Amino acid sequence: MDKRQAIGSWLSGPQAAAEDLLGADFGYRGERLGLPQEGPGSVAPTGRRIGAIFIDWMLCLLIGYGLLSGDGMSSAGNWALLVFGVMSLLLVGTLGFTPGKRLLGLRVVSVHGGRLTFPRAALRTALLLLFIPAVVWDRDARGLHDRLAHAVQVRM
């Protein structure tokens, strides 16, 4: 292996390096879960997921600032976190999506198929509020909060 191959494998990430150098085949995101590769029911793309959480956070910040925060922007963030937790718990636990997810065509479902149960939605929301579990992903692009709650975000 020359230096260009080593640098190229480092730049493309560990999955591409393992596929190229070791001949491993990881398949597409969601294949291990029995999800389609493209279209409705496939694993939600990362950009849409980030966009959905941004929309949800801005909505919660607006509610926290406009309705709940009496002393300005300093406490609005704390109120927004509370509103975000309640919104995520209630909406994901009942409908399977938040306003941001709905706008971008995403839904949270159980890996076994069907709706996510309310206790699993509560676990997912609690871990999501901790932030760190949400940014540690597996090869199916599921955060630890989704893995522990046996959930996956899919396209509608």
Side-chain angles (χ1 to χ4, degrees):
M1 170 188 325
D2 68 8
K3 291 181 183 178
R4 289 177 291 167
Q5 283 180 317
I7 290 172
S9 68
W10 176 74
L11 291 174
S12 58
Q15 180 174 342
E19 287 176 348
D20 291 343
L21 300 176
L22 303 175
D25 181 23
F26 292 110
Y28 61 86
R29 293 183 314 145
E31 183 175 17
R32 295 182 313 154
L33 303 172
L35 301 174
Q37 186 171 2
E38 294 291 327
S42 64
V43 173
T46 306
R48 280 192 194 179
R49 292 169 56 182
I50 291 171
I53 204 158
F54 179 77
I55 291 169
D56 290 337
W57 182 252
M58 288 298 116
L59 179 64
C60 292
L61 201 58
L62 182 66
I63 292 169
Y65 179 72
L67 300 178
L68 302 172
S69 176
D71 61 346
M73 198 63 174
S74 62
S75 66
N78 295 333
W79 283 110
L81 188 62
L82 178 67
V83 171
F84 182 80
V86 170
M87 177 186 71
S88 181
L89 174 64
L90 294 177
L91 294 179
V92 171
T94 56
L95 301 174
F97 52 80
T98 59
K101 288 183 188 349
R102 180 69 178 130
L103 283 172
L104 297 180
L106 306 178
R107 166 169 267 153
V108 179
V109 297
S110 172
V111 293
H112 308 297
R115 193 176 63 81
L116 194 63
T117 63
F118 197 78
R120 290 189 187 219
L123 173 65
R124 182 183 184 277
T125 300
L127 292 171
L128 182 61
L129 292 176
L130 293 175
F131 182 71
I132 297 298
V135 296
V136 177
W137 291 6
D138 66 2
R139 71 179 191 205
D140 291 318
R142 291 189 312 152
L144 285 178
H145 66 298
D146 282 333
R147 285 187 58 108
L148 293 173
H150 301 282
V152 62
Q153 293 186 53
V154 296
R155 295 177 182 175
M156 289 172 108

